[in-house]
Amino acid sequence: MSDSELQYTVTRLEIINSTVARKRLGPEGSTKGSKDSESLSPSVTSDSEFIPHESGHSFQLFYDLWFVANLTVFTEYHEIIDVKALSLFIGFVLLLWTTWIQSTFFDARFSGDSIFERITCAFDLGVMVGFAELGTVFTPSPNYQAIFRMASLFLMASRLVLAVKYATMLFQARKYARRRAKMVLLLIIGTLVAAATIYFGISFMLGVDNIPGDALIAWNVVGVVEVILQLEYSRLSDPLSFKGTNLEARMNQLTLIILGEGIIIMIRGINLLVQEKSPLADSLAIGWSPALIAIIGCAIGLIYIIFKIYFDLDHHSETTSRRRTAWVFFHLPFHMALVVLLEGTNKFVVIWKILESSASANSALNGVFEDVRAPSTLTTQEVIGKIRSIVVDQLVLYKPNDTLKTWTHLNTTFANISTIPDMFWSIGVPVDDPTVDRFTDSFKDIVLTVLENIQAFFGIHGPVESATFNLSSLENVAIYSRKTEFKLIFIYTYISAGMVISLITLLHAISKREGWVSFNIYRTAFFISTGVGLTLTNLLATSEILLVNFLSSPWPVPVILICYSVVLIVAHLPFPKSFNGKRKGDSVPFTNKIPQIRQSGPSPQRRPKSRRYMSLHDSRPDVGFEMDEQKEHTRHTGNFV
């Protein structure tokens, strides 16, 4: 039996897997074939010094899944409803992305399967576990200095492990690589060691007098500088470039994973919405309204449209190293904007549900307020009973996080109302009676408590705003109670929506080298204008009335979906005949048909070709030329997608 048949596992592990194309350099830089060079992969050219990896293995996908796992952990523990939380979210995603791309740079060029590789991959997964621990307490507070110090040491360890990996490649290629390639490897190793030293120093900076926020800024600056230097190093040596590697596929794969994270966030939000299983839902007119279903459908459709636009405009073709590095680098702001857009879209779904639930509660409470404003025979205890019954229904439907604290506060408010005499209700609520302030303040406190509990149930915590509170109309009180938070969500969602479509267009322009005729240029300008228009929608935030009216409508998510749908449709529009212009030097419109040239005299008699000649030569000699003309016509007109 052969060794392969006796082998128990699928692959036979080596201690260290070599990805070096073993070709000893001659005196003039030419390669001398060795025993190993005759059996190299066809993808290895005569100038190759390392075997490129055009496809990844299972560990790379497994490692990528930890990226989305850490994002999920962070979004579950942190609500992006204020500027501080937004800055922390961007900082965490940036730190996670720069750490991920560092490992991806190595895997794209030298990844293999060996005992050494598996041990180092275990260290990489350990770093991701450290991110999971950091994501739960990612707050710049002195109470978490020990965790931030440990995270800084994790980052140091990840860079040192990568330095050891590159040093192993340098040792293997010491006899076969050119001097330039060796120098680039030394630069990469030096950069990683320098970054590890900085991370080690940051861990000591987290003392009593420093807060973790300073460490976060330092981490991100070092990470971005590392990425820029690595991309520049890849342009210095062709064997160490990303040409022929699976780096583009890894970036596309990460985009899919981030979109999958958006789906996870959306499903988690939907699961939160369906927790209303109380029989009171029908009596309170709370449920899945057509507007809520439409908004959820638009949010899911937006993820699908982004997926189609990104991959329809992604051109995988041979390009220059400058374009390739730019394409990779601009995925950093694209992925960050995409994550923020997906989070903001989910927030709009939750906001609409909050507005619907708050409108139902406010309608019931407003009915009681209107009843007591007119003269009635109600007593103070009857008024309290009416208000209490509505409050009980709401707290049963939306269970408070701290039931004891909530009811203690409400009972105190009810006790304050109970001091009002019964005769106060028989004459109606007078305007000039000082008792009216006691009742209105207490009633306002009850309304805000109910609204705060509803918002906390759907994941938006914190005290509500009591300014600009009008008891005579509770229609938009939910928006006014969270005006600052909702305004921020609106701003960062529409900014990220404009950035996503603009950056996809930029990535398309970088990857598409040919076919830039006038119609395609107009399309590109339209896409950029759409992104700018979505960003400028934030001008609504300058007017409180316009912003409240827009947020109180179900249109924030559908507007983004409509813009993206138009972009996708325009991207697939066929090339119009009106743009089939003339080529330079032509007097007639350019076509792929070859004109037949007539001769003035009689056609000469030709000797018929033999059967053997017809078998060796194509009987249609003009087919090849016509195909060349067709290719030239395609290049001249250009397909956008």
Side-chain angles (χ1 to χ4, degrees), residues 280 284 388-400 403 406-407 410 449-451 453-454 457:
L280 298 171
L284 293 174
R388 183 185 291 272
S389 64
I390 297 174
V391 173
V392 169
D393 292 344
Q394 293 297 319
L395 296 186
V396 170
L397 189 59
Y398 306 104
K399 186 177 180 180
T403 305
T406 302
W407 274 112
L410 288 173
T449 302
V450 172
L451 292 180
N453 182 69
I454 292 175
F457 180 84

Side-chain angles (χ1 to χ4, degrees), residues 437-454:
D437 294 333
R438 189 195 315 171
F439 173 69
T440 54
D441 291 342
S442 300
F443 190 79
K444 179 190 296 186
D445 193 27
I446 293 173
V447 172
L448 292 178
T449 302
V450 172
L451 292 180
E452 183 177 342
N453 182 69
I454 292 175

Side-chain angles (χ1 to χ4, degrees), residues 157-207:
S158 67
R159 300 316 192 261
L160 291 179
V161 170
L162 281 174
V164 172
K165 287 184 177 181
Y166 280 107
T168 304
M169 294 298 106
L170 178 60
F171 178 78
Q172 292 180 355
R174 67 191 186 280
K175 297 180 181 179
Y176 308 101
R178 291 173 173 81
R179 179 176 298 178
R180 179 180 289 270
K182 295 178 184 178
M183 291 300 298
V184 173
L185 283 174
L186 287 174
L187 286 174
I188 295 175
I189 295 171
T191 302
L192 291 172
V193 172
T197 304
I198 296 175
Y199 291 133
F200 184 68
I202 293 175
S203 65
F204 285 97
M205 185 184 72
L206 293 170

Side-chain angles (χ1 to χ4, degrees), residues 312-360:
D312 286 351
L313 298 184
D314 185 29
H315 290 265
H316 284 289
S317 59
E318 292 296 330
T319 183
T320 62
S321 60
R322 185 181 298 274
R323 284 176 173 265
R324 189 181 301 111
T325 55
W327 186 84
V328 173
F329 179 78
F330 280 108
H331 269 79
L332 171 59
F334 166 67
H335 284 155
M336 295 184 63
L338 181 59
V339 170
V340 175
L341 172 60
L342 297 177
E343 179 67 21
T345 303
N346 176 67
K347 282 291 185 290
F348 272 123
V349 175
V350 175
I351 287 175
W352 182 254
K353 183 59 182 177
I354 289 175
L355 295 181
E356 288 187 340
S357 302
S358 301
S360 178

